[in-house]
Amino acid sequence: MQFTARRFDNGTPVEVETDRNRVVHVRPIAEPAGGDTLPWVAPGFVDVQVNGYAGQEFSSPDLTPDKVATIIRKHFEFGVTGICPTLTTQSFAVMQHGMRQIALACEQSADVAAAMVGIHQEGPYFAEEDGPRGAHPLEHVRAPDWDEFQRLQAAAGGRIKILTMSVHFANAPEFIARVTASGVVVAVGHTGATGEQIRAAVDAGAQLSTHLGNGAHRMLRRHPNYIWDQLAEDRLVASLIVDGHHLPPEVVKSMVRAKTPSRVILVSDVSGWAGMPPGRYASMGGEIDILADGRLCIAGQDQLLAGASAPIGVSVANVMRFAGVDLATAVDMAAMGPARLIGARCGGLRPGDPADFVLFRLAGEALNVVATMAQGEWRFGMQ
Ligand SMILES: [Zn+2]
């Protein structure tokens, strides 16, 4: 395969040649005559928090391997070449079912297996209190249970790569140490934990703050609080949802400056209801409203977000404007950064790098994906 585009990191027009799933050459070419017609090329996005799409949640008793494959392939349209299906708080039976169906989808389709870089288990080990719990159903929230986690990991065929949990539990440090030792990234999230508890969690191995600034109390003591505590903790990478709804631009800018760009990753946290028209829907976590502006909220509570609807490319474009970072930095937050965190494959522009790319144009405030190559094949556009 061969294509021409403009490098995301230095703006040079290049011809990229790939063979099977690897990059062979990246050669500079002359500036195209008659105006700039080249799209940007960057490593495909690695979105480590995706809950489903178009009416199908991963956390659902009716999930099948075909539905998993459909959601994952749909994300090629968003420039995503690495994805973590995210299973949220449910009964053990529903979560185990989800793990099994994702594992089966990987066994059945090579392209799905290659794009599915890990499962993100978000819950059920969360705080019961409203606010931190977010849209996770109270009846299924519970304390960390190593045996249960092991059984879920077995159902997933060892594919769980991130576990988001609250760290306020008395046994959290011991549990986190065991999960971390098993090769899974522990993320702090949906928590009302104290600074001491957060420090203990990080000492035990926690590496990530999940969607920092969301899954929090609506009213919070000004300081200290768990947002400052996580911002100041340099051993924690923070994932941010920069869709324009979950965090105000000023908060995004402040968080990026506090964490520094190398400790920020972007996630879409896209809901299973993303891609559906406005209306009220019955999700596994209770009823949700999709508002006319695209926000997904807990039914009747417009201030309580129940997930996101914008793909990760929207966060890439927004973080450039909100935090004043350049394109190379924004791409790092959406591709290389998340891949580094979980040890996943990531595209690149050196010979031998994986041929996983997103081609896009920047138009005003939007990032428009024009083509996606995953594992050396065009999966969207360019066919
Ligand atoms: Zn969440």
Side-chain angles (χ1 to χ4, degrees), residues 49 122 136 190 210-211 269:
Q49 193 159 3
E122 191 193 17
H136 291 254
H190 292 276
T210 285
H211 53 52
D269 198 13

Side-chain angles (χ1 to χ4, degrees), residues 47-48 82-86 102 113 115-120 159-162 342 344:
D47 191 344
V48 300
I83 188 169
C84 290
T86 300
I102 294 167
M116 208 294 299
V117 292
I119 295 171
H120 183 162
R159 292 177 176 83
I160 300 171
K161 287 282 160 58
I162 302 175
I342 59 169

